Amino acid sequence: MSLVRLNIKGISYSQTQNGAYALILNEVDGDRKLPIVIGAFEAQSIAIALEKEIRPPRPLTHDLFKNFADRFDIVVKQVIIHKLVDGVFYSSLICERDKIEEIIDARTSDAIALALRFKAPIFTYKNILDKAGIYLKVNPKKDGEEQDQDSILVDDMVAEEIEASIQDNYLDKTLQELNALLDEAVNNEDYEKAAKIRDEIDKR
């Protein structure tokens, strides 16, 4: 399967899921966007990594991981979003130490926060982008304005379109199926997924 490189377009606050954010990844050689629901802490960590001028007084968890890896000569070479199940993305960190490569499972939000700190490229498989990628209508830039390649917040129109795309993942599920998925998510400590399912159940 062919890999597609992604970069970070921005972060959108979720209007329907309290405390959640949508991380928008952009296809490098195309127009599709890949929205991924992440928690507030991960959104903060990614935003801080994007904003080069912001330096927290003490290292955040992802900064600590980077410092730890640097001390022991571990390098994150790339991040691959390799699986999509029930609206949840699964990722791997491709790491290297002493020319030995290791693959480490990671939540996608953590993997991307680390990719930024290691300046590692982010990839996904073409079939995942075909399944979950969306086209967004981005407001054209005004005269005299430059397009911000690392814009942190995405405008409300884009946020609404992302929300609709994310929520569609559960529209075809029955309440019984949703409750089973909720139990599974809680047992797996996948609280981001659990919050999405809970919101869909509440709407029913």
Side-chain angles (χ1 to χ4, degrees), residues 3 11 14-15 21 24 32 42 60 67 76 80 83 91 120 143-144 155 164 170 177 188 194 196:
L3 288 171
I11 300 171
S14 172
Q15 304 296 322
Y21 292 77
I24 301 100
R32 287 177 294 183
E42 291 79 9
L60 300 175
N67 295 340
V76 174
I80 299 177
K83 187 166 67 171
S91 294
D143 291 339
D155 63 36
Y170 295 111
E177 289 172 331
N188 292 333
K196 289 169 60 179

PDB file of all heavy atoms in Angstrom, residues 3 11 14-15 21 24 32 42 60 67 76 80 83 91 120 143-144 155 164 170 177 188 194 196:
ATOM      1  N   LEU A   3       2.107   5.080   0.663  1.00  0.00           N
ATOM      2  CA  LEU A   3       2.012   6.056   1.736  1.00  0.00           C
ATOM      3  C   LEU A   3       1.775   7.449   1.163  1.00  0.00           C
ATOM      4  O   LEU A   3       2.283   7.786   0.104  1.00  0.00           O
ATOM      5  CB  LEU A   3       3.289   6.051   2.570  1.00  0.00           C
ATOM      6  CG  LEU A   3       3.509   4.841   3.486  1.00  0.00           C
ATOM      7  CD1 LEU A   3       4.914   4.883   4.077  1.00  0.00           C
ATOM      8  CD2 LEU A   3       2.468   4.807   4.604  1.00  0.00           C
ATOM      9  N   ILE A  11      -5.892  23.373  14.075  1.00  0.00           N
ATOM     10  CA  ILE A  11      -6.672  22.729  15.131  1.00  0.00           C
ATOM     11  C   ILE A  11      -7.986  23.479  15.254  1.00  0.00           C
ATOM     12  O   ILE A  11      -8.014  24.706  15.288  1.00  0.00           O
ATOM     13  CB  ILE A  11      -5.919  22.750  16.478  1.00  0.00           C
ATOM     14  CG1 ILE A  11      -4.588  22.011  16.353  1.00  0.00           C
ATOM     15  CG2 ILE A  11      -6.767  22.123  17.578  1.00  0.00           C
ATOM     16  CD1 ILE A  11      -3.693  22.166  17.564  1.00  0.00           C
ATOM     17  N   SER A  14     -13.981  21.631  18.981  1.00  0.00           N
ATOM     18  CA  SER A  14     -15.187  20.876  18.683  1.00  0.00           C
ATOM     19  C   SER A  14     -16.400  21.563  19.300  1.00  0.00           C
ATOM     20  O   SER A  14     -16.451  21.777  20.514  1.00  0.00           O
ATOM     21  CB  SER A  14     -15.063  19.441  19.213  1.00  0.00           C
ATOM     22  OG  SER A  14     -16.296  18.772  19.080  1.00  0.00           O
ATOM     23  N   GLN A  15     -17.398  21.874  18.481  1.00  0.00           N
ATOM     24  CA  GLN A  15     -18.608  22.517  18.980  1.00  0.00           C
ATOM     25  C   GLN A  15     -19.553  21.522  19.643  1.00  0.00           C
ATOM     26  O   GLN A  15     -20.394  21.902  20.453  1.00  0.00           O
ATOM     27  CB  GLN A  15     -19.342  23.207  17.821  1.00  0.00           C
ATOM     28  CG  GLN A  15     -18.491  24.209  17.068  1.00  0.00           C
ATOM     29  CD  GLN A  15     -18.065  25.384  17.919  1.00  0.00           C
ATOM     30  OE1 GLN A  15     -18.829  25.863  18.744  1.00  0.00           O
ATOM     31  NE2 GLN A  15     -16.839  25.855  17.732  1.00  0.00           N
ATOM     32  N   TYR A  21     -11.023  18.571  20.502  1.00  0.00           N
ATOM     33  CA  TYR A  21     -10.565  19.373  19.370  1.00  0.00           C
ATOM     34  C   TYR A  21     -10.429  18.469  18.159  1.00  0.00           C
ATOM     35  O   TYR A  21     -10.291  17.246  18.282  1.00  0.00           O
ATOM     36  CB  TYR A  21      -9.209  20.017  19.677  1.00  0.00           C
ATOM     37  CG  TYR A  21      -9.264  21.080  20.747  1.00  0.00           C
ATOM     38  CD1 TYR A  21      -9.352  20.731  22.089  1.00  0.00           C
ATOM     39  CD2 TYR A  21      -9.238  22.432  20.416  1.00  0.00           C
ATOM     40  CE1 TYR A  21      -9.410  21.708  23.079  1.00  0.00           C
ATOM     41  CE2 TYR A  21      -9.290  23.410  21.393  1.00  0.00           C
ATOM     42  CZ  TYR A  21      -9.380  23.040  22.722  1.00  0.00           C
ATOM     43  OH  TYR A  21      -9.449  24.006  23.690  1.00  0.00           O
ATOM     44  N   ILE A  24      -6.522  18.915  12.099  1.00  0.00           N
ATOM     45  CA  ILE A  24      -6.701  18.777  10.653  1.00  0.00           C
ATOM     46  C   ILE A  24      -5.353  18.570   9.995  1.00  0.00           C
ATOM     47  O   ILE A  24      -4.467  19.423  10.084  1.00  0.00           O
ATOM     48  CB  ILE A  24      -7.408  20.009  10.044  1.00  0.00           C
ATOM     49  CG1 ILE A  24      -8.774  20.216  10.683  1.00  0.00           C
ATOM     50  CG2 ILE A  24      -7.577  19.833   8.538  1.00  0.00           C
ATOM     51  CD1 ILE A  24      -8.805  21.259  11.721  1.00  0.00           C
ATOM     52  N   ARG A  32      -7.083  17.020  -0.055  1.00  0.00           N
ATOM     53  CA  ARG A  32      -7.892  16.390   0.989  1.00  0.00           C
ATOM     54  C   ARG A  32      -7.357  16.692   2.386  1.00  0.00           C
ATOM     55  O   ARG A  32      -6.157  16.850   2.584  1.00  0.00           O
ATOM     56  CB  ARG A  32      -7.947  14.880   0.769  1.00  0.00           C
ATOM     57  CG  ARG A  32      -8.825  14.475  -0.394  1.00  0.00           C
ATOM     58  CD  ARG A  32      -8.802  12.995  -0.644  1.00  0.00           C
ATOM     59  NE  ARG A  32      -7.483  12.524  -1.083  1.00  0.00           N
ATOM     60  CZ  ARG A  32      -7.213  11.276  -1.414  1.00  0.00           C
ATOM     61  NH1 ARG A  32      -8.163  10.362  -1.352  1.00  0.00           N
ATOM     62  NH2 ARG A  32      -5.999  10.935  -1.815  1.00  0.00           N
ATOM     63  N   GLU A  42      -3.588  17.210  24.421  1.00  0.00           N
ATOM     64  CA  GLU A  42      -2.817  16.951  23.205  1.00  0.00           C
ATOM     65  C   GLU A  42      -2.895  18.138  22.243  1.00  0.00           C
ATOM     66  O   GLU A  42      -1.912  18.477  21.581  1.00  0.00           O
ATOM     67  CB  GLU A  42      -3.327  15.678  22.517  1.00  0.00           C
ATOM     68  CG  GLU A  42      -3.035  14.393  23.270  1.00  0.00           C
ATOM     69  CD  GLU A  42      -3.984  14.143  24.429  1.00  0.00           C
ATOM     70  OE1 GLU A  42      -4.988  14.883  24.549  1.00  0.00           O
ATOM     71  OE2 GLU A  42      -3.724  13.216  25.213  1.00  0.00           O
ATOM     72  N   LEU A  60       6.554  19.845  29.028  1.00  0.00           N
ATOM     73  CA  LEU A  60       5.333  19.051  28.964  1.00  0.00           C
ATOM     74  C   LEU A  60       5.711  17.584  28.770  1.00  0.00           C
ATOM     75  O   LEU A  60       6.873  17.246  28.538  1.00  0.00           O
ATOM     76  CB  LEU A  60       4.455  19.530  27.806  1.00  0.00           C
ATOM     77  CG  LEU A  60       3.989  20.987  27.839  1.00  0.00           C
ATOM     78  CD1 LEU A  60       3.233  21.322  26.560  1.00  0.00           C
ATOM     79  CD2 LEU A  60       3.121  21.250  29.052  1.00  0.00           C
ATOM     80  N   ASN A  67      13.262  14.871  25.451  1.00  0.00           N
ATOM     81  CA  ASN A  67      14.510  15.002  26.204  1.00  0.00           C
ATOM     82  C   ASN A  67      15.076  13.639  26.585  1.00  0.00           C
ATOM     83  O   ASN A  67      16.286  13.403  26.517  1.00  0.00           O
ATOM     84  CB  ASN A  67      14.279  15.838  27.465  1.00  0.00           C
ATOM     85  CG  ASN A  67      13.909  17.273  27.139  1.00  0.00           C
ATOM     86  OD1 ASN A  67      14.168  17.755  26.044  1.00  0.00           O
ATOM     87  ND2 ASN A  67      13.281  17.952  28.097  1.00  0.00           N
ATOM     88  N   VAL A  76      12.934   9.538  16.580  1.00  0.00           N
ATOM     89  CA  VAL A  76      11.685   9.198  15.886  1.00  0.00           C
ATOM     90  C   VAL A  76      11.858   9.599  14.426  1.00  0.00           C
ATOM     91  O   VAL A  76      11.983  10.782  14.104  1.00  0.00           O
ATOM     92  CB  VAL A  76      10.471   9.919  16.512  1.00  0.00           C
ATOM     93  CG1 VAL A  76       9.222   9.663  15.672  1.00  0.00           C
ATOM     94  CG2 VAL A  76      10.251   9.438  17.944  1.00  0.00           C
ATOM     95  N   ILE A  80       3.440   6.941  11.209  1.00  0.00           N
ATOM     96  CA  ILE A  80       2.523   6.389  10.203  1.00  0.00           C
ATOM     97  C   ILE A  80       1.166   6.148  10.847  1.00  0.00           C
ATOM     98  O   ILE A  80       1.056   5.412  11.837  1.00  0.00           O
ATOM     99  CB  ILE A  80       3.060   5.074   9.602  1.00  0.00           C
ATOM    100  CG1 ILE A  80       4.400   5.315   8.908  1.00  0.00           C
ATOM    101  CG2 ILE A  80       2.041   4.490   8.613  1.00  0.00           C
ATOM    102  CD1 ILE A  80       5.029   4.058   8.343  1.00  0.00           C
ATOM    103  N   LYS A  83      -4.057   2.641  10.631  1.00  0.00           N
ATOM    104  CA  LYS A  83      -5.326   1.916  10.716  1.00  0.00           C
ATOM    105  C   LYS A  83      -6.434   2.873  11.126  1.00  0.00           C
ATOM    106  O   LYS A  83      -6.210   3.821  11.889  1.00  0.00           O
ATOM    107  CB  LYS A  83      -5.202   0.768  11.726  1.00  0.00           C
ATOM    108  CG  LYS A  83      -6.417  -0.158  11.778  1.00  0.00           C
ATOM    109  CD  LYS A  83      -6.109  -1.448  12.538  1.00  0.00           C
ATOM    110  CE  LYS A  83      -5.857  -1.214  14.003  1.00  0.00           C
ATOM    111  NZ  LYS A  83      -5.767  -2.487  14.768  1.00  0.00           N
ATOM    112  N   SER A  91      -1.816   4.697  15.196  1.00  0.00           N
ATOM    113  CA  SER A  91      -0.548   5.146  14.631  1.00  0.00           C
ATOM    114  C   SER A  91       0.642   4.397  15.199  1.00  0.00           C
ATOM    115  O   SER A  91       0.535   3.748  16.254  1.00  0.00           O
ATOM    116  CB  SER A  91      -0.362   6.649  14.901  1.00  0.00           C
ATOM    117  OG  SER A  91      -1.326   7.400  14.211  1.00  0.00           O
ATOM    118  N   ALA A 120       9.796  14.988  12.457  1.00  0.00           N
ATOM    119  CA  ALA A 120       9.622  13.747  11.698  1.00  0.00           C
ATOM    120  C   ALA A 120       8.415  13.876  10.764  1.00  0.00           C
ATOM    121  O   ALA A 120       7.407  14.488  11.133  1.00  0.00           O
ATOM    122  CB  ALA A 120       9.422  12.564  12.649  1.00  0.00           C
ATOM    123  N   ASP A 143      -6.817  40.480  -0.021  1.00  0.00           N
ATOM    124  CA  ASP A 143      -5.689  41.206  -0.598  1.00  0.00           C
ATOM    125  C   ASP A 143      -4.738  41.661   0.495  1.00  0.00           C
ATOM    126  O   ASP A 143      -5.158  42.197   1.517  1.00  0.00           O
ATOM    127  CB  ASP A 143      -6.194  42.429  -1.371  1.00  0.00           C
ATOM    128  CG  ASP A 143      -6.953  42.018  -2.625  1.00  0.00           C
ATOM    129  OD1 ASP A 143      -6.743  40.872  -3.077  1.00  0.00           O
ATOM    130  OD2 ASP A 143      -7.746  42.829  -3.135  1.00  0.00           O
ATOM    131  N   GLY A 144      -3.453  41.425   0.264  1.00  0.00           N
ATOM    132  CA  GLY A 144      -2.458  41.856   1.241  1.00  0.00           C
ATOM    133  C   GLY A 144      -2.215  40.865   2.359  1.00  0.00           C
ATOM    134  O   GLY A 144      -1.342  41.056   3.184  1.00  0.00           O
ATOM    135  N   ASP A 155     -11.178  28.363  10.962  1.00  0.00           N
ATOM    136  CA  ASP A 155     -12.372  29.181  11.139  1.00  0.00           C
ATOM    137  C   ASP A 155     -13.627  28.336  11.356  1.00  0.00           C
ATOM    138  O   ASP A 155     -13.645  27.131  11.149  1.00  0.00           O
ATOM    139  CB  ASP A 155     -12.564  30.151   9.962  1.00  0.00           C
ATOM    140  CG  ASP A 155     -12.780  29.442   8.636  1.00  0.00           C
ATOM    141  OD1 ASP A 155     -13.424  28.394   8.628  1.00  0.00           O
ATOM    142  OD2 ASP A 155     -12.303  29.945   7.607  1.00  0.00           O
ATOM    143  N   ALA A 164     -19.361  17.681  11.066  1.00  0.00           N
ATOM    144  CA  ALA A 164     -20.329  16.865  10.340  1.00  0.00           C
ATOM    145  C   ALA A 164     -19.675  15.593   9.824  1.00  0.00           C
ATOM    146  O   ALA A 164     -20.250  14.502   9.894  1.00  0.00           O
ATOM    147  CB  ALA A 164     -20.924  17.665   9.182  1.00  0.00           C
ATOM    148  N   TYR A 170     -20.803   7.474  13.063  1.00  0.00           N
ATOM    149  CA  TYR A 170     -21.657   6.687  13.955  1.00  0.00           C
ATOM    150  C   TYR A 170     -23.133   6.743  13.578  1.00  0.00           C
ATOM    151  O   TYR A 170     -23.963   6.168  14.276  1.00  0.00           O
ATOM    152  CB  TYR A 170     -21.465   7.166  15.399  1.00  0.00           C
ATOM    153  CG  TYR A 170     -20.087   6.904  15.917  1.00  0.00           C
ATOM    154  CD1 TYR A 170     -19.201   7.960  16.160  1.00  0.00           C
ATOM    155  CD2 TYR A 170     -19.637   5.609  16.159  1.00  0.00           C
ATOM    156  CE1 TYR A 170     -17.908   7.719  16.622  1.00  0.00           C
ATOM    157  CE2 TYR A 170     -18.353   5.367  16.614  1.00  0.00           C
ATOM    158  CZ  TYR A 170     -17.504   6.422  16.851  1.00  0.00           C
ATOM    159  OH  TYR A 170     -16.225   6.183  17.310  1.00  0.00           O
ATOM    160  N   GLU A 177     -25.448  -1.083  19.374  1.00  0.00           N
ATOM    161  CA  GLU A 177     -24.086  -1.135  18.858  1.00  0.00           C
ATOM    162  C   GLU A 177     -23.232  -0.016  19.468  1.00  0.00           C
ATOM    163  O   GLU A 177     -22.063  -0.225  19.809  1.00  0.00           O
ATOM    164  CB  GLU A 177     -24.094  -1.020  17.334  1.00  0.00           C
ATOM    165  CG  GLU A 177     -24.635  -2.259  16.627  1.00  0.00           C
ATOM    166  CD  GLU A 177     -24.815  -2.034  15.135  1.00  0.00           C
ATOM    167  OE1 GLU A 177     -25.068  -0.881  14.717  1.00  0.00           O
ATOM    168  OE2 GLU A 177     -24.687  -3.006  14.376  1.00  0.00           O
ATOM    169  N   ASN A 188     -10.736  -0.210  26.940  1.00  0.00           N
ATOM    170  CA  ASN A 188      -9.429   0.002  26.304  1.00  0.00           C
ATOM    171  C   ASN A 188      -8.790   1.329  26.693  1.00  0.00           C
ATOM    172  O   ASN A 188      -7.742   1.694  26.172  1.00  0.00           O
ATOM    173  CB  ASN A 188      -9.575  -0.057  24.777  1.00  0.00           C
ATOM    174  CG  ASN A 188      -9.925  -1.447  24.280  1.00  0.00           C
ATOM    175  OD1 ASN A 188      -9.604  -2.443  24.922  1.00  0.00           O
ATOM    176  ND2 ASN A 188     -10.590  -1.514  23.140  1.00  0.00           N
ATOM    177  N   ALA A 194     -14.542   7.175  23.445  1.00  0.00           N
ATOM    178  CA  ALA A 194     -15.696   7.039  24.342  1.00  0.00           C
ATOM    179  C   ALA A 194     -16.508   8.325  24.374  1.00  0.00           C
ATOM    180  O   ALA A 194     -17.748   8.297  24.376  1.00  0.00           O
ATOM    181  CB  ALA A 194     -15.229   6.655  25.741  1.00  0.00           C
ATOM    182  N   LYS A 196     -16.774  10.589  22.008  1.00  0.00           N
ATOM    183  CA  LYS A 196     -17.494  10.721  20.744  1.00  0.00           C
ATOM    184  C   LYS A 196     -18.754   9.866  20.736  1.00  0.00           C
ATOM    185  O   LYS A 196     -19.825  10.314  20.336  1.00  0.00           O
ATOM    186  CB  LYS A 196     -16.582  10.295  19.587  1.00  0.00           C
ATOM    187  CG  LYS A 196     -15.455  11.256  19.280  1.00  0.00           C
ATOM    188  CD  LYS A 196     -14.451  10.644  18.333  1.00  0.00           C
ATOM    189  CE  LYS A 196     -15.065  10.256  17.017  1.00  0.00           C
ATOM    190  NZ  LYS A 196     -14.043   9.667  16.100  1.00  0.00           N
TER     191      LYS A 196
END
